[in-house]
């Protein structure tokens, strides 16, 4: 499956089967792949192994972004455990499967480490709520990584259960608040008040400025922002104080970030650090788009729920391989250069180089005229299944 997904840049079993070039009818290959993919749920095992491998690559100053996602299947009828969801891009109800992904990145945006990715349905037996799912994923990650990194989450994290989960586990975090959230704070005269988040700027000073350059489709746009910081508390826990950073300039409404980071409120650079952490979360979103686009994940057509979960985990394993193992291993430096050439991106590799890696690996594997059955490793010829040198998760 790993070979076939990369060789075909697709997750449809028919295309994976063709890339294997087996000396049997294609339908037999598809049946075998489908049967093995749906026989046992090994997604938790794959995610556990990726967390184990990623553990020593996550430093205290890296951002760990947790992002909800989805696989939309508007026309599917026979797929198991299809659940209802909201399609934000279309602004309407839809059907499909939820995703929960965790990715770490540094502030320089030149190191990205996929950590966890799970496909799930709200119709599964043990499902409770999206909040409980996020909390369980955080717990799985920190069981191995501990308190390293700064967690960042979008407005889904504007939930007291999730915020308490962060603080209860002594995790540093930055989360974006919903504008209708009520907060306890102090006004400009020092008096205590309770206001909605969207009105918080009226009671503080936004006396810091910065410029951000946004690159979209090769075009640079300079955004001028103003920001400030104040202390806030949630109404249900008025004794637990946080910092709230208000940023204006990204859109019609202000962006409000709440954090438990220690911030020197008199230094503009220290306050802007909170903004940088959240903007790095946006960079982590690119990892999710890479997984979906490079391997056509939304076109998954296996019908069983276990098969869908396993497919998501396998594609995530490939994302880890291209991001970390091939991207950082000095032993594979020449191989990486060759793959970049094969990707035919002569005018430079984009910042998120995994797109070029996916294209290059696909072109490289297409040149194999024998498929996976007769790949040579260390001078020995044999099937991949029977070669003890192969490992799904190389150290």
């Amino acid at each position: 499956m790993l070979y076939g997904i990369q060789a075909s840049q697709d997750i449809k079993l028919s295309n994976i089967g063709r890339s294997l070039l087996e000396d049997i009818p294609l339908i037999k290959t598809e049946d075998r792949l489908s049967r093995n993919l749906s026989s046992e749920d090994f997604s938790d095992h794959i995610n556990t192994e990726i967390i184990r491998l990623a553990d020593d690559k996550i430093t205290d100053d890296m951002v760990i972004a947790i992002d909800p996602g989805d696989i939309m299947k508007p026309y599917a009828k026979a797929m198991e455990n299809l659940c209802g969801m909201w399609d934000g891009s279309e602004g309407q109800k839809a059907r499909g499967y939820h995703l929960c992904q965790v990715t770490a990145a540094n502030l320089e945006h030149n190191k990205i480490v996929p950590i966890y990715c799970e496909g799930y349905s709200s119709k599964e037996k043990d499902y409770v709520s999206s909040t409980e799912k996020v909390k369980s994923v955080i717990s799985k990650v920190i069981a191995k990584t501990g308190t390293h990194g700064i967690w960042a989450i979008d407005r889904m994290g504007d939930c007291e259960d999730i915020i308490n989960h962060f603080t209860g586990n002594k995790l540093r975090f930055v989360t974006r608040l919903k504008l209708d959230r009520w907060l306890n704070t102090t006004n400009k005269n020092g008096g205590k008040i309770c206001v909605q988040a969207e009105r918080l700027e009226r009671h503080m000073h936004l006396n810091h400025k910065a410029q951000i350059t946004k690159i979209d489709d090769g075009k640079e746009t300079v955004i001028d922002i103003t920001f400030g910081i104040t202390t806030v508390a949630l109404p249900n826990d008025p004794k637990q104080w946080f910092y709230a950073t208000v940023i204006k300039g990204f859109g019609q409404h202000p962006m409000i970030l709440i954090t438990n980071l220690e911030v020197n409120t008199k230094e503009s650079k220290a306050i802007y650090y909170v903004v940088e952490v959240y903007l790095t979360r946006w960079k982590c979103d690119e990892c999710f788009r890479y997984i979906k686009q490079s391997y056509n994940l939304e076109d998954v057509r296996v019908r069983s729920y276990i098969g869908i979960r396993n497919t998501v985990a396998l594609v995530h394993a490939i994302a880890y391989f291209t991001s970390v193992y091939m991207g950082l291993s000095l032993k594979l430096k020449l191989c990486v250069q060759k793959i970049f050439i094969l990707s035919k991106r002569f005018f430079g590799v984009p910042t998120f180089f995994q797109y070029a890696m996916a294209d290059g690996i696909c072109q490289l594997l297409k040149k194999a005229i024998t498929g996976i059955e007769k790949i040579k490793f260390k001078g020995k010829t044999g099937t991949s299944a029977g070669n003890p040198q192969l490992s799904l998760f190389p150290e």
Side-chain angles (χ1 to χ4, degrees), residues 109-368:
H109 299 177
N110 57 17
K111 181 180 179 182
I112 294 181
V113 183
I115 301 175
Y116 186 95
C117 189
E118 179 185 359
Y120 66 95
S121 169
S122 57
K123 289 187 176 181
E124 67 181 14
K125 181 180 178 181
D126 298 326
Y127 179 81
V128 178
S129 66
S130 59
T131 296
E132 291 302 316
K133 175 60 71 172
V134 169
K135 288 168 59 179
S136 69
V137 170
I138 293 171
S139 296
K140 289 178 183 178
V141 174
I142 65 175
K144 187 63 179 177
T145 62
T147 59
H148 294 302
I150 304 169
W151 286 79
I153 186 170
D154 204 352
R155 279 168 288 199
M156 184 182 186
D158 183 10
C159 169
E160 293 190 31
D161 282 347
I162 293 178
I163 293 175
N164 291 336
H165 195 65
F166 283 135
T167 57
N169 287 282
K170 299 181 179 179
L171 301 174
R172 296 175 297 163
F173 73 91
V174 174
T175 185
R176 185 175 178 179
L177 294 180
K178 298 175 183 176
L179 295 178
D180 60 355
R181 151 72 67 181
W182 286 92
L183 298 167
N184 292 334
T185 186
T186 55
N187 58 24
K188 296 177 181 179
N189 298 322
K192 294 184 178 182
I193 57 174
C194 186
V195 298
Q196 279 190 309
E198 65 178 345
R199 297 187 178 90
L200 189 61
E201 61 173 301
R202 302 178 184 179
H203 306 280
M204 57 185 293
H205 298 285
L206 303 183
N207 50 4
H208 302 277
K209 298 180 180 180
Q211 282 189 339
I212 295 175
T213 301
K214 181 181 179 182
I215 302 176
D216 190 9
D217 293 332
K219 297 180 180 180
E220 292 188 0
T221 303
V222 177
I223 302 175
D224 294 307
I225 64 171
T226 57
F227 57 95
I229 196 167
T230 188
T231 53
V232 298
L234 303 178
N236 291 337
D237 191 4
K239 295 182 180 181
Q240 176 71 55
W241 289 88
F242 303 98
Y243 285 111
T245 303
V246 179
I247 309 106
K248 296 188 69 176
F250 285 115
Q252 181 180 358
H253 301 286
M255 177 189 294
I256 298 114
L257 308 176
I258 187 174
T259 181
N260 62 348
L261 294 173
E262 293 294 331
V263 182
N264 186 339
T265 58
K266 296 181 180 180
E267 292 188 7
S268 179
K269 185 177 180 180
I271 301 171
Y272 184 70
Y273 179 76
V274 178
V275 183
E276 278 191 301
V277 169
Y278 187 77
L279 295 182
T280 302
R281 189 203 70 81
W282 285 356
K283 186 63 181 178
C284 292
D285 284 348
E286 186 71 10
C287 184
F288 173 63
R289 285 191 290 272
Y290 153 71
I291 289 177
K292 293 181 73 173
Q293 295 176 14
S294 291
Y295 301 105
N296 207 14
L297 184 58
E298 285 201 325
D299 204 19
V300 61
R301 298 185 185 181
V302 292
R303 295 185 178 183
S304 74
Y305 183 54
I306 290 176
I308 292 166
R309 285 174 55 83
N310 287 339
T311 299
V312 171
L314 287 171
V315 173
H316 184 241
I318 293 171
Y320 178 87
F321 175 71
T322 57
S323 300
V324 178
Y325 185 66
M326 290 204 71
L328 302 181
S329 175
L330 295 177
K331 294 180 181 179
L332 293 174
K333 183 177 181 180
L334 293 177
C335 180
V336 170
Q337 292 174 349
K338 179 66 174 177
I339 288 174
F340 280 155
I341 293 172
L342 288 171
S343 72
K344 299 181 180 179
R345 298 185 182 225
F346 299 115
F347 301 101
V349 178
T351 303
F352 194 79
F353 72 96
Q354 283 86 341
Y355 288 106
M357 294 287 287
D359 293 346
I361 291 173
C362 179
Q363 295 299 322
L364 185 65
L365 296 182
K366 280 183 179 178
K367 294 181 181 294

